[in-house]
C-alpha cells in the first residue's frame, strides 16, 4: 500500500496533518512517540533478560546479577530529562479482609 503512493499524495498527506495538528504540536508529538519507542525497547530487553536462565557460581556474582537486574528494570529517560524516568514496580499481591 505504501509503495503505491505518489509524491503528490505524500505531500497532500503531510499538508493535511499540518492543518489538523498545527506546526507547534508536531515536535511534541514526535518527542512523545520517541519516548514511547524507547520505553517499549527497554521493556522488550528486560523481558528477554528475564527469560534467560541465570547461573551465578558464587554469592558475589549473584549479588551483582541482582543489582544489574534492578538497574535494567528502570526505564531510562532521554538525556537531561530526569523527571520522567521511573522504576518499574512489580505487581504485589493484595490481601482482602
Amino acid at each position: 500500500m505504501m509503495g503505491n503512493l505518489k509524491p503528490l499524495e505524500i505531500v497532500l498527506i503531510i499538508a493535511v496533518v499540518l492543518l489538523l495538528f498545527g506546526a507547534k504540536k508536531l515536535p511534541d508529538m514526535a518527542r512523545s512517540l520517541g519516548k514511547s519507542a524507547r520505553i517499549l525497547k527497554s521493556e522488550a530487553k528486560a523481558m528477554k533478560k528475564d527469560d534467560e536462565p541465570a547461573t551465578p557460581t558464587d554469592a558475589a556474582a549473584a549479588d551483582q546479577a541482582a543489582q544489574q537486574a534492578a538497574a535494567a528494570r528502570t526505564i531510562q529517560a532521554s538525556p537531561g530529562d530526569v523527571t520522567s524516568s521511573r522504576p518499574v514496580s512489580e505487581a504485589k499481591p493484595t490481601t482482602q479482609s
Side-chain angles (χ1 to χ4, degrees):
M1 171 92 184
M2 290 298 288
N4 296 335
L5 292 178
K6 297 180 179 114
L8 182 61
E9 293 170 343
I10 294 172
V11 169
L12 183 63
I13 290 171
I14 292 172
V16 168
V17 168
L18 277 173
L19 286 174
L20 286 176
F21 296 109
K24 291 184 180 181
K25 283 195 174 185
L26 286 179
D28 293 334
M29 291 172 56
R31 192 174 300 116
S32 63
L33 182 66
K35 284 182 183 180
S36 299
R38 268 193 300 275
I39 290 171
L40 180 67
K41 185 177 178 180
S42 68
E43 287 296 318
K45 283 183 181 180
M47 288 176 65
K48 284 182 183 179
K49 285 186 179 182
D50 287 345
D51 289 342
E52 293 176 359
T55 56
T57 56
D58 57 12
D63 186 42
Q64 184 180 11
Q67 288 176 353
Q68 287 177 349
R73 298 292 297 174
T74 301
I75 298 173
Q76 298 296 324
S78 61
D81 185 18
V82 296
T83 59
S84 65
S85 64
R86 58 181 171 80
V88 178
S89 61
E90 298 293 327
K92 296 180 182 177
T94 57
T95 57
Q96 295 178 352
S97 298

